[in-house]
Amino acid sequence: MSLLPESASFEELVQDYFLAVRGAGLMLSALDTELLTTWAREGVPFEVVAKGISRSAEKALWDARPGEPVLRSLRACRRQVESEIKKYRELAAGAGTEEASSPRRKRTRSWEETRHARLCTALEDLAGREEALAHRVRSLRITLLTHVPEEPAAMDAQEALAFLLLLRALPFTDRCALWREAMAASTEQQVMSPRARKVARRFRVLATVRRRLGMKEM
């Protein structure tokens, strides 16, 4: 989700992603920085927190006024982020406990496996609702989605690619309309770096595609 160098810290990654999705600002407030420090102590992957941020931003995106930031503060994402952290930790703990206690017991899905399963289920539902996309969904199931990513970053990449391929399967006029809609929702400022602009645009394109397809953030 981030284009910062691999050496970037957790805090840098989260701040970079939040400000890009928000579409405004150069740094976090003191209160937001304090909250970010708390999340850093949780020891979860950056992508888990980024997922909570994107969920919050996507919900707020369509209610924001033109030129208004999607999110006013990182604290506005707190509920969604901490929900993602809780789910990640519970799934990780459950998998470890079951492996140690009972080899015969059905293994708990990982965070990535849970997201992958939700994505596949949502795509099957989409194929049932939109016949024109059924072939593309079947193609995704036997190619891109045959492998379940083992890391959060890989899961993010797989999910994003799936939605972009669905976008390409839409008629040309629909694709153009979706692109215009995504760009119209943009709140990018001149002070944003090229990297931040790329992250912001990808977020808005994916959010617009999901909205068009009637699919929530996975």
Side-chain angles (χ1 to χ4, degrees):
M1 284 187 178
S2 174
L3 299 177
L4 286 176
E6 293 183 4
S7 59
S9 68
F10 174 89
E11 290 88 345
E12 289 173 329
L13 289 169
V14 173
Q15 175 174 286
D16 177 72
Y17 184 73
F18 169 74
L19 294 176
V21 169
R22 183 174 187 260
L26 294 174
M27 59 188 299
L28 300 179
S29 68
L31 289 175
D32 281 350
T33 299
E34 183 179 348
L35 177 60
L36 176 52
T37 300
T38 300
W39 290 342
R41 295 195 189 105
E42 294 285 346
V44 300
F46 150 72
E47 290 80 9
V48 175
V49 172
K51 176 57 63 177
I53 292 173
S54 64
R55 281 182 180 276
S56 298
E58 195 160 323
K59 287 183 177 181
L61 180 61
W62 311 113
D63 294 327
R65 296 176 180 176
E68 183 180 77
V70 175
L71 296 168
R72 293 189 177 277
S73 68
L74 188 62
R75 299 186 304 284
C77 308
R78 184 169 192 162
R79 182 177 179 180
Q80 290 289 344
V81 168
E82 294 184 353
S83 175
E84 287 297 322
I85 291 175
K86 181 180 179 182
K87 284 189 288 186
Y88 180 85
R89 294 176 71 88
E90 286 177 346
L91 289 170
T97 301
E98 290 184 6
E99 287 177 3
S101 62
S102 177
R104 297 181 181 179
R105 190 174 179 181
K106 187 177 180 180
R107 185 177 63 85
T108 300
R109 286 175 173 172
S110 67
W111 189 73
E112 295 82 4
E113 289 170 332
T114 300
R115 280 183 59 190
H116 183 272
R118 286 205 304 261
L119 176 60
C120 290
T121 299
L123 289 175
E124 289 298 332
D125 177 69
L126 174 66
R129 289 186 287 106
E130 299 211 22
E131 185 178 349
L133 292 174
H135 176 73
R136 177 53 57 92
V137 169
R138 287 194 295 271
S139 176
L140 289 173
R141 290 300 307 273
I142 63 176
T143 54
L144 177 66
L145 299 175
T146 55
H147 170 68
V148 180
E150 297 181 357
E151 297 181 352
M155 184 65 237
D156 284 340
Q158 184 186 75
E159 183 181 304
L161 181 56
F163 281 112
L164 291 175
L165 290 173
L166 286 171
L167 172 62
R168 290 185 62 183
L170 294 173
F172 178 74
T173 53
D174 286 3
R175 296 201 304 270
C176 291
L178 284 174
W179 180 261
R180 288 194 297 269
E181 184 179 354
M183 293 305 99
S186 176
T187 58
E188 295 174 14
Q189 296 186 351
Q190 293 299 320
V191 294
M192 291 177 67
S193 67
R195 178 186 64 238
R197 288 178 186 276
K198 185 174 182 178
V199 172
R201 288 173 183 173
R202 183 175 65 173
F203 162 73
R204 283 168 174 76
V205 168
L206 292 175
T208 304
V209 171
R210 278 192 287 266
R211 188 187 195 197
R212 157 65 177 79
L213 300 178
M215 300 173 70
K216 296 180 179 179
E217 174 92 12
M218 295 299 106

